[in-house]
Amino acid sequence: MHKGPNLQQDLQHLIMKWRQYQYAYTADIEKMYRQIMIHSEDQSYQKILWRDSENQPLRIYQLTTLTFGFKVAPYIAMQCLKRLAEEEKEQYPDAARALDQDFYMDDYCGGSHTIPKANQLRRDLVELLAKSGFNLRKWTANDPRILENSQTTTNQEEETFEFKVQSDSTKTLGLGWKPTIDKFYFKSTIEMTTKPPTKRSLLSDISKLFDPLGWLTPISINMKILFQTVWLSALDWSDTLPEDIATKWTSLRQDIQC
């Protein structure tokens, strides 16, 4: 149950490399963890107890596929993709390189400088991953010609791509991409509330701003300076903020919504 080395691409580097292409596209692997079979000798570490009601006897289940939540799961999943890329690099050289370098866990962020190369890479990636039972789906692109004759895309006008913050999480924290207009967007998760803010709630709200490339720094730096002021005031975590600081925080929250 060792965690294993971190095989994740740096998200900042991945986004910058991805958007250097004229034609950009994304996709994800459907239920990636569930497509990976755990070796029979290791499945005994994935036992769970279950019953539908307290009147039933406990049942013991042994999970056979990679299980979400285990600290080793992200490493195993990424290692499977890298192994697959190594095994198929002779037949699919470009797709194997993309599989090794352009995936952020189950999310693919790729691109090409021409439409023919983009379509060829898309077809090769789908075929390569299908060899090991992975279904690459939910394609989005900034040019509809890339997705012509694709059976894996629906409602392109409504599709967006949202970045996940960590390798073993399905939670998205606010940074997304709208392919039809080729623009990034932020979705604020900081709630407007009438409850008096505390030192704890202020830090919690500041931490909700997911901005890996620093685009929101003109706003976020003011939030950090404000928290620095709170920290110097020696308040306890549950103490209500002084009125002047609370007023500044209310103003900053309104700026974030705009």
Side-chain angles (χ1 to χ4, degrees), residues 36-51:
I36 300 173
M37 184 71 71
I38 296 296
H39 194 282
S40 58
E41 294 181 2
D42 297 323
Q43 291 176 9
S44 59
Y45 298 111
Q46 298 193 143
K47 290 182 178 179
I48 59 173
L49 302 178
W50 184 263
R51 62 183 178 186

Side-chain angles (χ1 to χ4, degrees), residues 28 33 35-37 40 56-57 61-62 68 71 78 83 99-100 120 154 160 165 170 175 185 188 198 206 217 231 255:
D28 75 55
Y33 281 13
Q35 315 313 314
I36 300 173
M37 184 71 71
S40 58
Q56 293 181 343
Y61 291 88
Q62 184 165 295
F68 178 86
K71 65 180 181 179
M78 292 302 298
R83 178 64 179 269
L99 183 59
D100 181 57
Q120 185 61 52
T154 57
T160 59
V165 68
T170 58
L175 175 60
Y185 70 92
S188 175
T198 64
I206 292 175
T217 299
W231 189 265
D255 284 346

Side-chain angles (χ1 to χ4, degrees), residues 4 37 162 182 233 242:
M37 184 71 71
E162 295 186 334
D182 200 4
S233 66

